[in-house]
Amino acid sequence: ADLVVIGLGYVGLPLAHEASRAGLKVTGLDVTPAVVDGLNSGTSHIDDLTGADIAQMHDSGFRATTDPSVVGETESIVICVPTPLSAEGGPDLSAVAAAAESVAEHLRPGTLVILESTTYPGTTDEFVRPLLEKSGLTAGTDFHLAFSPERIDPGNAAFGVANTPKVVGGLTERCGALAATFYGKFVHNVVQARGTREAEMAKLLENTYRHVNIALVNEMAIFCQELGVDLWDAIACAATKPFGFQAFYPGPGVGGHCIPIDPNYLSYKVKTLGYPFRFVELAQEINARMPTYVMQRAQELLNESGLALSRSNVLLLGVTYKAGIADQRESPARPVARKLAGKGAKLTYHDPYVADWEVNGQNVPRATDLEQALASADLTVLLTDHPAYEAKLLSEHAKLLLDTRGVLRRLEGGETDARRTTSPI
Ligand code: SAJ
């Protein structure tokens, strides 16, 4: 095979797909038999690829396996295994270690090995390299080693593997050049970092930047409410600045498997130097406070209508971590639901992507008729702005709406029916 991709999830599979489309013969390696069998029978287990995409890969010679010896029959290996948060707050590198060790058993001279899993600066040089050198081969001379951060944005139809610039950093200049040439076969724009640490850090900078700026507007949302400032309007005004401003929006919290997680890898590594990475700790604290704030806003809205949160029927709209996808990882919906239920609210939920949903071990009744659910709920809390939740529909049918994603702002002129209290977070 021209390429072995280790880890066939939302990162590895799109990479394998794009390389296949470019004519590379790709073999996928995964430790989960169900994933391997599914792919070999032509089904996709990730939202961003269809069965047809998998069939197309097979036409280019793609096959999946659990047998690590395939590593000995290829010139390039990309490791895309998960690095979840460990108990100590850093990346759990056990999957990376397992992948590196299985590579070391079969590694042949001249092979290019690239790590894509998100981790702290220094991981490739200090952690992965020694594991690979158990093969008896020396990194940088007998085989080549690089890091390249994944930039998959789940559900993003505009940007995929081929048209998202790819940063690569090599253990040596030559490793970096070989990695750049490899990606250049199927990625339009490849950017060479100075080394593996710069490439590792670029990813953490990207996501920490997002995390901290979301926390900034979240903290602003809380005091703007009391100042009588429409923060959403202020953001729209600030966004007219044609340079130097990127809009972020307040929300019920920050979900996903990257933004709330990746900055921890940096603060974890910085802490080993003996001091905290204060921006990340503050951002984490503010973002984690948002579900409580949502509950307080819900209470206020109901009280303004003479109702109490306890015994009120509250409809939650959208429980995934972001619009348009089914992924619930780190979604703030569950913490919000726990706090509302804790105040005695009777919850129902609606989400086109989620068929059943439990909170505190109890199933939350699922609304299927959206208009009817909006009309019968004392309060509707919109948590994820799925396309189905059109501003007009909400404005016409919701009695009371806490709109944590500013959907109602998308109404022409932003006007809403005065009878119904609709409030952004
Ligand atoms: N969010 C806000 N306000 C904002 C933007 C996002 O509250 O202004 C929330 C979202 O609702 C979501 C969370 O933050 O719960 C993360 O949002 P996200 O748009 O960053 O979504 P991810 O984590 O799926 O994708 C991100 C990528 N997103 C974009 O660049 C738009 C990117 O940071 C990485 O490529 C990817 O994570 C990754 O894999 O690191």
Side-chain angles (χ1 to χ4, degrees):
D2 302 315
L3 165 63
V4 169
V5 176
I6 305 181
L8 302 173
Y10 79 90
V11 174
L13 211 45
L15 176 73
H17 174 247
E18 204 55 57
S20 298
R21 272 162 49 104
L24 275 73
K25 190 170 181 309
V26 182
T27 297
L29 176 59
D30 200 291
V31 292
T32 310
V35 164
V36 167
D37 297 342
L39 287 170
N40 285 339
S41 61
T43 56
S44 165
H45 59 284
I46 62 166
D47 292 343
D48 286 355
L49 286 179
T50 63
D53 293 322
I54 307 301
Q56 188 188 43
M57 291 165 67
H58 283 294
D59 294 347
S60 305
F62 173 79
R63 66 185 182 86
T65 180
T66 56
D67 172 10
S69 69
V70 294
V71 154
E73 302 145 20
T74 183
E75 56 192 52
S76 306
I77 300 164
V78 181
I79 301 173
C80 305
V81 296
T83 48
L85 207 52
S86 73
E88 300 77 43
D92 172 352
L93 295 175
S94 52
V96 171
E101 278 158 1
S102 58
V103 168
E105 275 165 39
H106 306 278
L107 189 59
R108 274 189 351 196
T111 309
L112 171 63
V113 183
I114 298 169
L115 177 67
E116 289 210 355
S117 308
T118 304
T119 179
Y120 59 77
T123 302
T124 305
D125 291 5
E126 299 161 2
F127 181 80
V128 175
R129 176 181 176 174
L131 292 175
L132 293 174
E133 291 184 331
K134 284 183 180 171
S135 60
L137 300 175
T138 305
T141 44
D142 302 328
F143 69 95
H144 309 289
L145 180 58
F147 181 85
S148 177
E150 55 89 2
R151 279 180 165 170
I152 302 287
D153 185 16
N156 187 328
F159 290 98
V161 172
N163 67 346
T164 304
K166 198 87 170 86
V167 169
V168 296
L171 189 70
T172 65
E173 186 71 36
R174 178 158 163 63
C175 293
L178 287 168
T181 304
F182 162 73
Y183 280 117
K185 293 173 188 167
F186 53 94
V187 177
H188 305 157
N189 179 359
V190 180
V191 177
Q192 286 222 34
R194 191 161 153 206
T196 58
R197 291 170 193 281
E198 288 74 19
E200 289 161 335
M201 180 58 90
K203 172 69 177 177
L204 297 178
L205 173 54
E206 286 167 15
N207 281 359
T208 302
Y209 161 77
R210 257 178 105 64
H211 185 86
V212 167
N213 279 286
I214 294 165
L216 172 65
V217 290
N218 277 339
E219 185 171 34
M220 284 183 154
I222 293 174
F223 62 66
C224 279
Q225 179 62 32
E226 294 186 44
L227 289 174
V229 171
D230 179 339
L231 176 62
W232 290 81
D233 192 70
I235 292 169
C237 295
T240 60
K241 189 171 177 219
F243 47 86
F245 178 80
Q246 179 180 0
F248 290 89
Y249 301 95
V254 174
H257 34 276
C258 313
I259 302 309
I261 309 286
D262 296 354
N264 286 291
Y265 301 161
L266 199 46
S267 47
Y268 164 83
K269 187 67 178 170
V270 170
K271 249 183 229 141
T272 61
L273 305 175
Y275 44 86
F277 183 10
R278 290 180 300 155
F279 261 109
V280 166
E281 290 177 359
L282 177 59
Q284 228 101 26
E285 182 198 309
I286 291 168
N287 289 336
R289 198 197 311 164
M290 296 313 282
T292 300
Y293 178 63
V294 170
M295 184 269 290
Q296 288 163 352
R297 291 292 299 126
Q299 238 163 0
E300 286 163 13
L301 281 178
L302 284 162
N303 294 168
E304 282 160 20
S305 302
L307 296 170
L309 189 48
S310 64
R311 292 187 310 283
S312 284
N313 294 313
V314 177
L315 169 65
L316 301 179
L317 290 188
V319 295
T320 62
Y321 84 82
K322 76 172 179 180
I325 64 173
D327 197 331
Q328 295 181 49
R329 276 177 287 189
E330 304 291 316
S331 168
R334 199 159 273 123
V336 169
R338 278 199 202 101
K339 291 181 188 299
L340 293 171
K343 293 285 180 183
K346 293 212 299 296
L347 300 180
T348 52
Y349 87 97
H350 181 283
D351 189 310
Y353 298 85
V354 178
D356 55 82
W357 195 58
E358 56 76 32
V359 171
N360 296 337
Q362 286 187 330
N363 246 342
V364 179
R366 181 184 190 210
T368 45
D369 176 335
L370 184 53
E371 283 184 21
Q372 189 270 331
L374 289 168
S376 56
D378 298 312
L379 170 70
T380 294
V381 181
L382 182 135
L383 294 172
T384 306
D385 47 340
H386 287 315
Y389 305 143
E390 289 164 3
K392 201 161 167 11
L393 177 84
L394 300 178
S395 172
E396 275 167 16
H397 297 281
K399 281 192 290 199
L400 207 51
L401 174 67
L402 175 55
D403 173 12
T404 73
R405 296 293 185 176
V407 172
L408 267 291
R409 303 197 51 78
R410 297 170 204 166
L411 275 179
E412 306 70 54
E415 291 316 307
T416 54
D417 179 328
R419 274 186 304 110
R420 293 186 185 84
T421 308
T422 66
S423 158
I425 191 163

